[in-house]
Amino acid sequence: MKPIAETLSALRGQLIPVLDIREPEQAAAVAGVLAGAGATVLELTLRSPQAWRCLDAIRDAYPELVVGVGSVLEESQLRQAAQRKLPFAVSPGLSEQLVRSAQAMHMPLIPGVATASEVLNARLLGLRLVKLFPAELLGGIALLRALAGPLADMQFFPSGGINESNYRDYLAQANVFCVGASWLAPASDIEQSDRDAIRRRAEGAYGSC
Ligand code: 3PG
């Protein structure tokens, strides 16, 4: 079993598409477009009953991609992620119960934080990487800079409001480990099978990463 820090190192410096996909065939096709443009890490949100089948379809078709799950709210989801040996799971908020369950399963969990108190609580639970969510609404880069002083050894995975005009600025922050965003492959394009739009955005973003 790899140490968690080693598993998470695949995420370092990455722009990570956050996906909400409801059809396994769509999932594999969208993952292929994103991988073809240069994405190496994907976050598939668990927002529909079909999400696990979509995840399995992506992993079967593109085993080289690092695919984790997002919108994790329950221990049962962590258990499924651990059974699949997924590289990471992301939750929108910080729950001590979920963090301790993940640690017991050796499942790398990146919980969401919105305040210095939550960052501190995550640190006291032994974590050094947290999701900043919803990043832009919370203060974005100004907040990350403010947190860097007192919480200097914490790293962040901001998401929420990140797009083509600000992702480079986020990735340039010393305490930003990686960023997540749905703008590359929004649910509307996925539903309409508009893969050209997804390809254009992804090629624009990964071509300049
Ligand atoms: C999410 O959980 O939906 C992500 O944080 C993505 O946010 P975005 O849609 O603002 O990119």
Side-chain angles (χ1 to χ4, degrees):
M1 195 179 287
K2 280 191 193 172
I4 283 179
E6 192 182 320
T7 305
L8 291 176
S9 66
L11 279 60
R12 184 184 294 280
Q14 293 299 315
L15 166 61
I16 302 175
V18 176
L19 305 170
D20 178 7
I21 312 186
R22 315 266 160 149
E23 300 269 342
E25 299 75 27
Q26 286 274 28
V30 169
V33 169
L34 292 167
T40 58
V41 184
L42 306 180
E43 178 189 324
L44 185 72
T45 58
L46 299 177
R47 295 182 191 171
S48 74
Q50 302 93 308
W52 289 110
R53 287 198 298 122
C54 291
L55 179 94
D56 293 339
I58 295 173
R59 295 178 83 217
D60 285 348
Y62 298 97
E64 70 280 12
L65 279 173
V66 174
V67 190
V69 283
S71 305
V72 168
L73 306 179
E74 292 166 13
E75 195 177 310
S76 60
Q77 296 170 318
L78 279 178
R79 201 170 304 114
Q80 290 215 50
Q83 278 165 1
R84 286 172 167 82
K85 298 190 175 15
L86 295 189
F88 67 96
V90 183
S91 60
L94 178 68
S95 148
E96 179 175 342
Q97 188 185 330
L98 275 189
V99 171
R100 292 206 187 282
S101 296
Q103 288 169 336
M105 296 173 201
H106 205 76
M107 179 66 222
L109 175 65
I110 306 168
V113 296
T115 65
S117 298
E118 290 172 354
V119 183
L120 178 59
N121 277 331
R123 192 178 183 283
L124 290 170
L125 288 166
L127 303 177
R128 294 296 180 270
L129 175 61
V130 287
K131 163 171 165 143
L132 184 72
F133 178 77
E136 277 288 289
L137 280 177
L138 293 171
I141 287 171
L143 175 60
L144 286 159
R145 287 186 181 146
L147 293 171
L151 293 151
D153 60 358
M154 293 301 291
Q155 291 283 300
F156 295 87
F157 175 167
S159 73
I162 292 177
N163 55 43
E164 61 194 323
S165 61
N166 61 13
Y167 76 93
R168 293 182 200 85
D169 294 336
Y170 273 94
L171 285 172
Q173 303 305 308
N175 59 351
V176 169
F177 195 76
C178 56
V179 299
S182 69
W183 115 84
L184 289 156
S188 52
D189 282 352
I190 293 170
E191 274 160 28
Q192 290 161 26
S193 296
D194 194 348
R195 295 191 196 126
D196 286 341
I198 296 171
R199 183 177 296 107
R200 267 197 308 278
R201 278 192 225 98
E203 285 178 353
Y206 292 105
S208 64
C209 259

